[in-house]
Amino acid sequence: MSRNLKFRAVTSFQRYVLNPLTRRTPGQVLLETTGRKSGQPRRTPVGGRLTGTEFWLVSEHGERSQYVRNIQADPRVRVRVKGRWHRGTAHLLPDDDPLARLKQLPRGNSAAVRSVGTDLLTIRVDLDD
């Protein structure tokens, strides 16, 4: 399957099937960005790990992900972990090794990111609280 076709198939499935279901799951980690066009909050289910005052995740489609584009426009975000919202500033880390980073993150999500990802990108959120 071509990289572009894989990207379109995965993002369509996530947008219309997976994300609406997982957004409602109480234990699901959510990343809230501000829509770069609408200015409205956009919540995306993500997998990652809270480490001290940092939250780490890997985007499976890098700069093609809508939430990454929103971060580029406004890096102020919120992350919901274990039902609690944290404010922070997101940083895209293109020089970080995303495959090595995935080994430090939750196993199930990391396997999914590796299998469906087309352009992995590490993101670190420095939390304010």
Side-chain angles (χ1 to χ4, degrees):
M1 180 182 292
S2 78
R3 190 170 150 192
N4 194 40
L5 181 60
K6 182 178 181 180
F7 169 78
R8 287 195 334 249
V10 169
T11 56
S12 291
F13 176 74
Q14 288 173 329
R15 178 177 292 153
Y16 299 112
V17 179
L18 189 61
N19 289 357
L21 293 173
T22 56
R23 253 188 233 112
R24 294 184 181 108
T25 306
Q28 175 67 49
V29 175
L30 294 176
L31 175 68
E32 184 180 84
T33 60
T34 301
R36 65 193 177 284
K37 295 177 184 177
S38 69
Q40 298 298 310
R42 300 293 180 212
R43 292 182 177 173
T44 305
V46 296
R49 175 160 283 142
L50 183 61
T51 307
T53 59
E54 299 172 335
F55 182 81
W56 291 86
L57 68 142
V58 174
S59 167
E60 63 239 345
H61 301 300
E63 293 185 11
R64 293 176 78 181
S65 294
Q66 296 302 314
Y67 70 89
V68 172
R69 291 178 179 184
N70 290 343
I71 288 170
Q72 289 172 320
D74 182 356
R76 293 170 299 162
V77 300
R78 292 193 323 151
V79 181
R80 185 183 79 181
V81 181
K82 296 182 181 176
R84 181 168 177 250
W85 285 100
H86 305 268
R87 293 186 184 282
T89 304
H91 303 276
L92 307 180
L93 304 173
D95 294 330
D96 190 68
D97 180 351
L99 292 174
R101 183 67 57 190
L102 284 171
K103 292 178 182 175
Q104 301 170 7
L105 301 178
R107 195 175 300 167
N109 182 76
S110 293
V113 168
R114 275 192 301 276
S115 66
V116 302
T118 57
D119 190 19
L120 305 181
L121 175 65
T122 301
I123 301 170
R124 183 189 75 231
V125 178
D126 295 331
L127 304 175
D128 299 337
D129 51 350

